[in-house]
Amino acid sequence: MLHPQSNPFRQCITLPEFWDFRFDPDDLGTDAGWGEGFTGGRPIAVPASWNDQFEDWRDYLGPAWYQTYFDLPWGWEQRRVALRFGSVNYIAEVWLNGMRLGEHEGGHLPFEFDVTEHVRPEGNLLVVRVEGELAPDRVPPGNVPPDPLDTFPRNKYPSTSFDFFPFCGIHRPVLLYAMPHGGIDDLTVVTDIAGNDGLVRLHLEAGDAATARLILRGYGAEVSAEVAVSEEATLTVPGAALWSPASPNLYDLTVEMLRDGGVFDRYALPVGIRTITVDGDALLLNGEPVKLTGFGRHEDFPVTGRGLVPAVIVKDYALMKWVGANSFRTTHYPYSEQMMDLADRLGFLVIDETPAVGLFFHEDGLERRLALCRQYTQEMIARDKNHPSVIMWSLANEPHSKRPAAKGFFRNLYDLARSLDPTRPVTVVSAVGIGEEAFEFCDVACLNRYFGWYTPPGQVDEGCELLSAELDTLHGKYPKPLLLTEFGADTIPGHHAQPPEMFSEEYQAEMLTRYIEVLDSKPFVVGQHVWNLCDFKTGQAVHRMGGMNLKGVFTRDRRPKLAAHRLRELWGAQGSESA
Ligand code: BDP
């Protein structure tokens, strides 16, 4: 699924930043025909969550309605026109000029409608009903009855089965874009290395049985080819400048569609030539072992909630560089396309995770949850397959996998991911550890651990012994690369204690230091991701002071805690990027 772009053959505009908005707590809108337009709306910002924009509606997750008007730019009448939503959480139902276009389930991934037949030159009315209730048969789930097998139930309000606030609304831009009829629909790029040559394999999908011209430029090279649309093409780049965190080299690929001797469509894509493979205990980037340092993170910021804020993206990359991180996991859902584009440019390695967090395996609703997970896996790979920064797919975070159904569930998803993308390792991020049977077939084992925090609390020494022993046992059973994808401690900024005690800045710094010593001592541990880059909003719970998870090494407004300075020493940051 290509991200819309503007060039002489395509045009993309963003719909306005203020829409009309109505909460619909009694769910009257559908019967009252609000899809054809409603009155009495108040202004709301798009993109942004609704929860923080108004007083008194923070915890409201039920139906709400958005509407906006737009005119078509000049010259679009002859074009194919599509409407694209970057992310709406959780269910979106869409009407254009009173006609229902369809619906999409699941936040964090884009969806679009071909509206060529329904747009008018002017006065178009777009209405979206959004609803984000928590339910056991949704993914991620909520309002799940307690599981007797769960040894550590954590009650929260709202009752999520995950540890972040269930923000609702239109979270990423809504785009309207025009393309030529019969033009480029999709493009898949896979890169490889043969000696000093870079190989760029392309598969193009387009409406017309036309010819395409492919041109790859950069670093003194220009390679081109003309191919029939359905054909696989390979461009060979002699002496290729490979993509890596140290040198995030990106070539410019241009695809042009040719008809009657002329160009009628064009799409440009940055291409990073790199390979990512697993060999024994090692993760290899361009054939060389790579170790990941970095974080889990959240799309979370005051007032805007989970809405896209480009300045926060830039800031977070600057913070990650400053501490010496080379990677992150898109905990616990795919991040914005803007975030992924910058990962390519700035040379970050990304574990791209579906929104499948907090999965459980009671028979009730299981089939529906599997169907949703398959949908998300497909949508995520379709969206992100061309990013050199994406080095791994994560199928889920911390599933409650103690029931037998879990193994078949993940085998199904693993096979799907590998069939859609045979080039990248696939993983499941586990809190179960040794009993996580999906580790048998996953290419890499990812583990989250909080010894010295939740259990045993306050005891870093014991915590590190437990960690060390568990890592060895796990590796004994699953001899493959292992990543510690979460470890950390809640910390109140400005709270100090000597000797360190829980919630103090010293405790967090000490715990991370000691964990990193253990991780560095195990050659099969190829990654260490601290939980979390920044403090973030959660529901209310006894273990969530002020409705916040405080495990950030930066505060929610991005100020460093002691641990950030410590990580910078441990990970050997050379200093922030020069202007
Ligand atoms: C892990 C989850 C993460 C939580 C973290 C914590 O993967 O989402 O925020 O624990 O408890 O279980 O801080």
Side-chain angles (χ1 to χ4, degrees):
M1 185 188 211
L2 298 177
H3 191 74
Q5 60 184 221
S6 293
N7 61 33
F9 306 93
R10 305 179 153 234
Q11 196 181 356
C12 167
I13 58 168
T14 306
L15 292 187
E17 45 282 275
F18 296 118
W19 293 40
D20 295 336
F21 180 74
R22 277 192 75 165
F23 289 112
D24 185 13
D26 298 321
D27 202 7
L28 304 173
T30 303
D31 288 346
W34 290 6
E36 288 158 34
F38 57 86
T39 52
R42 55 168 116 181
I44 190 167
V46 171
S49 304
W50 69 54
N51 311 76
D52 254 7
Q53 290 189 60
F54 312 105
E55 297 308 315
D56 303 334
W57 292 92
R58 185 193 57 215
D59 301 325
Y60 178 78
L61 312 176
W65 295 73
Y66 289 75
Q67 73 181 12
T68 192
Y69 295 87
F70 64 87
D71 295 337
L72 278 197
W74 181 80
W76 279 32
E77 290 83 355
Q78 308 306 319
R79 302 301 188 89
R80 207 171 120 211
V81 180
L83 188 61
R84 187 187 203 264
F85 295 80
S87 156
V88 180
N89 198 43
Y90 170 81
I91 289 184
E93 208 177 337
V94 183
W95 290 260
L96 181 64
N97 299 326
M99 150 127 185
R100 189 178 177 283
L101 296 176
E103 68 173 49
H104 180 264
E105 179 163 0
H108 323 288
L109 285 158
F111 56 96
E112 58 186 24
F113 302 100
D114 187 323
V115 294
T116 315
E117 304 299 323
H118 313 298
V119 274
R120 304 174 184 144
E122 52 192 330
N124 291 285
L125 169 64
L126 175 65
V127 179
V128 188
R129 178 184 185 272
V130 183
E131 186 259 286
E133 301 281 14
L134 298 167
D137 64 349
R138 292 184 170 184
V139 178
N143 286 318
V144 178
D147 184 342
L149 296 185
D150 193 350
T151 45
F152 188 31
R154 302 179 200 177
N155 300 324
K156 301 182 203 83
Y157 177 73
S159 180
T160 55
S161 68
F162 46 91
D163 184 34
F164 51 89
F165 194 83
F167 285 114
C168 294
I170 302 182
H171 284 158
R172 295 181 192 151
V174 183
L175 306 178
L176 190 68
Y177 72 107
M179 299 150 283
H181 290 279
I184 300 162
D185 286 326
D186 198 13
L187 187 59
T188 306
V189 175
V190 170
T191 64
D192 208 344
I193 302 168
N196 287 329
D197 294 350
L199 305 180
V200 179
R201 299 202 173 91
L202 292 124
H203 179 82
L204 179 65
E205 281 173 36
D208 256 12
T211 326
R213 180 159 54 214
L214 314 170
I215 312 155
L216 191 77
R217 290 191 190 91
Y219 310 95
E222 176 162 335
V223 195
S224 61
E226 270 189 33
V227 290
V229 159
S230 50
E231 227 177 86
E232 282 267 321
T234 302
L235 299 177
T236 305
V237 187
L242 302 181
W243 184 96
S244 70
S247 309
N249 298 316
L250 292 172
Y251 285 83
D252 298 317
L253 172 71
T254 306
V255 179
E256 290 180 339
M257 298 285 296
L258 307 174
R259 190 195 277 148
D260 305 326
V263 176
F264 74 95
D265 192 12
R266 177 185 299 160
Y267 193 83
L269 189 76
V271 171
I273 301 175
R274 61 105 186 94
T275 57
I276 183 79
T277 45
V278 168
D279 184 11
D281 287 348
L283 184 64
L284 305 180
L285 180 76
N286 303 332
E288 300 288 329
V290 65
K291 296 245 174 177
L292 309 188
T293 52
F295 296 92
R297 183 183 162 268
H298 269 294
E299 292 185 328
D300 171 272
F301 204 63
V303 183
T304 51
R306 188 140 296 123
L308 175 80
V309 187
V312 174
I313 292 178
V314 170
K315 180 77 178 175
D316 283 1
Y317 275 118
L319 298 180
M320 287 195 280
K321 282 234 169 198
W322 184 78
V323 294
N326 63 9
S327 58
F328 60 90
R329 175 167 61 113
T330 70
T331 50
H332 295 308
Y333 39 79
Y335 292 168
S336 66
E337 289 156 277
Q338 290 74 4
M339 183 84 188
M340 304 307 283
D341 289 344
L342 282 199
D344 294 344
R345 264 180 74 180
L346 299 174
F348 275 80
L349 303 169
V350 182
I351 301 175
D352 207 355
E353 183 161 283
T354 75
V357 50
L359 282 177
F360 63 103
F361 299 90
H362 303 174
E363 280 310 312
D364 237 14
L366 189 62
E367 249 178 66
R368 202 178 117 73
R369 289 195 295 277
L370 178 60
L372 276 168
C373 288
R374 286 179 62 88
Q375 176 199 318
Y376 297 159
T377 304
Q378 259 153 348
E379 290 177 345
M380 177 177 76
I381 294 177
R383 193 195 75 165
D384 291 344
K385 62 188 172 186
N386 293 330
H387 287 286
S389 55
V390 175
I391 54 157
M392 205 180 295
W393 306 114
S394 161
L395 301 173
N397 179 70
E398 296 196 356
H400 299 254
S401 311
K402 289 185 183 155
R403 285 173 195 268
K407 192 173 178 186
F409 190 99
F410 285 117
R411 181 81 234 188
N412 184 311
L413 291 178
Y414 176 88
D415 290 345
L416 175 67
R418 294 293 300 187
S419 72
L420 294 170
D421 175 11
T423 72
R424 288 177 178 91
V426 177
T427 191
V428 165
V429 175
S430 176
V432 170
I434 198 79
E436 190 72 66
E437 292 176 73
F439 282 169
E440 269 174 34
F441 46 84
C442 281
D443 305 299
V444 171
C446 289
L447 181 74
N448 296 346
R449 271 298 168 258
Y450 291 92
F451 295 134
W453 183 255
Y454 294 116
T455 49
Q459 296 161 79
V460 176
D461 288 346
E462 281 82 344
C464 286
E465 275 165 34
L466 287 169
L467 175 74
S468 175
E470 186 181 13
L471 292 173
D472 291 340
T473 315
L474 251 184
H475 184 248
K477 180 160 179 200
Y478 305 110
K480 46 184 80 180
L482 202 153
L483 276 92
L484 197 70
T485 29
E486 283 187 27
F487 58 105
D490 287 81
T491 304
I492 303 167
H495 180 62
H496 294 281
Q498 179 54 38
E501 72 186 4
M502 291 174 80
F503 291 99
S504 68
E505 295 206 25
E506 286 79 4
Y507 194 86
Q508 185 186 37
E510 172 72 5
M511 186 168 154
L512 299 187
T513 308
R514 300 288 305 284
Y515 261 61
I516 287 171
E517 268 166 31
V518 174
L519 301 174
D520 283 347
S521 73
K522 317 245 175 228
F524 57 85
V525 176
V526 300
Q528 34 189 275
H529 279 178
V530 168
W531 190 254
N532 190 283
L533 180 67
C534 299
D535 293 343
F536 60 91
K537 178 117 196 77
T538 65
Q540 298 170 68
V542 286
H543 62 288
R544 290 290 167 258
M545 200 181 304
M548 292 285 294
N549 183 311
L550 296 174
K551 293 194 185 70
V553 301
F554 295 90
T555 59
R556 200 181 188 206
D557 60 356
R558 274 61 183 166
R559 284 172 296 121
K561 301 179 188 173
L562 180 61
H565 295 279
R566 183 65 61 82
L567 286 179
R568 185 169 150 81
E569 283 160 26
L570 293 168
W571 286 343
Q574 296 304 310
S576 53
E577 229 181 340
S578 58

